[in-house]
Amino acid sequence: MTQKYCHQIGEWVEDNVSQQVQQCVKKKCKWWCACCNKWFCFLVWVVVTVLKWVVTTVCEILGDAYDLVVAVITGGWDIIAGIFTWDWSRVFDGFMEILGAFGGLVGDLIRTVVFPCGLYGAFRGSVNKWRLIGYVEDLIDKSRRFTEADRADIKAALGIGGSGFGLRLTLTSYRGFVRSDYIAPGETVPALVQWNNDPDPNRRVDLKKLAGFKWDKFLQRSSPDIRGDVSSESDIDEYLGNPSSKSFSIYAMSDSALLDRIHNIQIKGDTIGLKLAVDLQDVHLTERTQVQANITDPDGQHNSCAVLDVLARSPFNREPSVSGFGCHPADPQDPAAVERARNLLCKPVIFGTFRFVANDSYTGYSACMFTNACLDGGSIGNDGGTGALYRHGLPNWVRTWVPIHELGHTFGLCHVDGLDRIMVNPKDHSWWSGWLIPEYLCFSGEPQFSHDEARKVWDYIIANFPIDCLANRDVVVT
Ligand SMILES: [Zn+2]
């Protein structure tokens, strides 16, 4: 939680001081003093970057120390309570929570005190932002989509040549919840009971799994947030036997788990030039396909279509997948539908649900509207719509990167190798990369987007986003 505020300090300095100083470095040389103007600005930039690193690092160390105290108290409580109730998964989670917080603090200390190579990470961040601004300016100048007036408006809105570089968008973050008393129209039994008792294994929603009391595989567990009369499996049994005996809601994840994910979306989004304001919404889920999304088609193809199908229905009411793209390749394109779906590029959405049908080895899935080239020569997208789903998973410090990973796909990013990268997927790429150990031990201690990925995101944005949206700076970032 504290990380966000430390990062905000750094972001403010980067946007309002570093980017101004960089403008000055790019100015023309004054030859009479051997480019003293540029050298002076460059020196100021170095000093600002070092100072920014010192301030944010001290802030992070204090924050991590605080987080460790909190983790020892809450994790310690989980361990003790788990031992007394023979709940070994709770003991394990308690240990993992303390271990994660301990690792965070030790990592910070190693990166600053033992070998101060965290400073490299600070310079890398500032240089990459600098290079990205130049790259985007060049893309805008070369794109044939824009008039001269458009170019000026877009550059002003993005903060190119000014301050606060980034595309300002509002991300809608939905968190699903279910209620014990919801009865679908025309039915007499609550939906949760009906779903739980369904004999079809592909349609059944096991309420104990939904509530986090049971799981298929230990490492695929999640920790939903139950509010109300239920605190154990036997409470669920009681409810299933007599639905009016219990009153409760189950949220897909706790407030703190959600905010942690949102903060990481904002922090990492900024590194690729996205300034995301977030609109947090809780949505009551009344369909089992929302609670347990189907992302495994019989033919194993175009699972992204399922993401779009979920988001096209109430309460999200987004556009269905557009014909002529991957989900309906044989049908002709309807230009009006394509434009409606294109406008949604500027309204990114992410939906936190409970589970994925028959395959909780996934923690998220997304759809990318247009095709974008991958760094490794492949391509992603062409799904005919934009959107992302994810579910909560444990441990938190690993799974917290899932929503920003899925959002990365919706901005045209592909999978890469290495757990030091946000876009890694060990299912189809290697977990290992040569930068893995330096990144965690030295540069930042977190997975990153690379500069090349930031460029790919902007290739996608400049090629596809509506001009109105690129030229709009009205979003208030919170
Ligand atoms: Zn992925």
Side-chain angles (χ1 to χ4, degrees), residues 364 366 405-406 409 414-415 423-425 428:
S366 50
H405 171 108
E406 298 308 331
H409 284 311
C414 316
H415 287 153
M423 296 314 294
V424 68
N425 184 350
D428 52 31

Side-chain angles (χ1 to χ4, degrees), residues 57-70:
T57 304
V58 169
C59 176
E60 274 172 18
I61 289 174
L62 293 175
D64 280 348
Y66 172 80
D67 288 348
L68 180 59
V69 172
V70 172

Side-chain angles (χ1 to χ4, degrees), residues 206-277:
D206 186 325
L207 187 53
K208 288 182 182 173
K209 288 181 184 170
L210 192 78
F213 292 118
K214 279 171 65 182
W215 49 84
D216 294 328
K217 290 199 175 137
F218 189 74
L219 292 177
Q220 294 171 6
R221 288 166 310 135
S222 62
S223 178
D225 186 14
I226 309 172
R227 300 177 188 178
D229 297 341
V230 166
S231 59
S232 67
E233 263 185 87
S234 57
D235 289 338
I236 299 276
D237 287 326
E238 210 176 307
Y239 167 74
L240 291 171
N242 176 13
S244 59
S245 66
K246 301 279 178 198
S247 172
F248 60 90
S249 304
I250 310 174
Y251 287 76
M253 70 202 76
S254 67
D255 291 348
S256 63
L258 175 66
L259 287 181
D260 196 41
R261 283 156 177 72
I262 297 299
H263 290 162
N264 284 327
I265 285 175
Q266 293 181 305
I267 291 171
K268 297 300 177 184
D270 183 54
T271 66
I272 48 175
L274 300 176
K275 293 213 176 285
L276 299 169

Side-chain angles (χ1 to χ4, degrees), residues 157-359:
L158 297 178
I160 292 173
S163 63
F165 168 73
L167 178 60
R168 286 150 176 84
L169 300 173
T170 300
L171 166 73
T172 307
S173 159
Y174 293 103
R175 171 177 59 170
F177 71 95
V178 291
R179 291 175 58 111
S180 61
D181 59 357
Y182 172 72
I183 300 175
E187 301 288 344
T188 52
V189 179
L192 290 180
V193 177
Q194 205 175 33
W195 297 345
N196 183 78
N197 296 342
D198 198 312
D200 180 347
N202 287 321
R203 284 169 51 83
R204 180 167 189 244
V205 179
D206 186 325
L207 187 53
K208 288 182 182 173
K209 288 181 184 170
L210 192 78
F213 292 118
K214 279 171 65 182
W215 49 84
D216 294 328
K217 290 199 175 137
F218 189 74
L219 292 177
Q220 294 171 6
R221 288 166 310 135
S222 62
S223 178
D225 186 14
I226 309 172
R227 300 177 188 178
D229 297 341
V230 166
S231 59
S232 67
E233 263 185 87
S234 57
D235 289 338
I236 299 276
D237 287 326
E238 210 176 307
Y239 167 74
L240 291 171
N242 176 13
S244 59
S245 66
K246 301 279 178 198
S247 172
F248 60 90
S249 304
I250 310 174
Y251 287 76
M253 70 202 76
S254 67
D255 291 348
S256 63
L258 175 66
L259 287 181
D260 196 41
R261 283 156 177 72
I262 297 299
H263 290 162
N264 284 327
I265 285 175
Q266 293 181 305
I267 291 171
K268 297 300 177 184
D270 183 54
T271 66
I272 48 175
L274 300 176
K275 293 213 176 285
L276 299 169
V278 182
D279 177 14
L280 293 173
Q281 294 198 21
D282 283 325
V283 282
H284 180 206
L285 306 180
T286 56
E287 288 183 49
R288 63 181 103 200
T289 49
Q290 298 170 329
V291 172
Q292 215 167 243
N294 185 2
I295 53 163
T296 44
D297 288 2
D299 59 355
Q301 294 293 313
H302 286 305
N303 295 324
S304 308
C305 309
V307 172
L308 297 173
D309 289 347
V310 168
L311 294 175
R313 292 198 300 275
S314 174
F316 313 105
N317 302 314
R318 305 263 294 183
E319 287 292 310
S321 50
V322 176
S323 57
F325 288 80
C327 295
H328 313 283
D331 301 334
Q333 277 188 12
D334 168 6
V338 174
E339 284 319 297
R340 283 199 303 275
R342 184 194 298 279
N343 285 328
L344 290 180
L345 290 172
C346 297
K347 294 181 178 149
V349 63
I350 189 143
F351 167 36
T353 185
F354 288 86
R355 304 196 63 206
F356 294 125
V357 167
N359 199 341

Side-chain angles (χ1 to χ4, degrees), residues 116-130:
C117 44
L119 194 53
Y120 170 84
F123 275 100
R124 179 184 63 180
S126 195
V127 168
N128 282 348
K129 190 64 81 64
W130 196 346

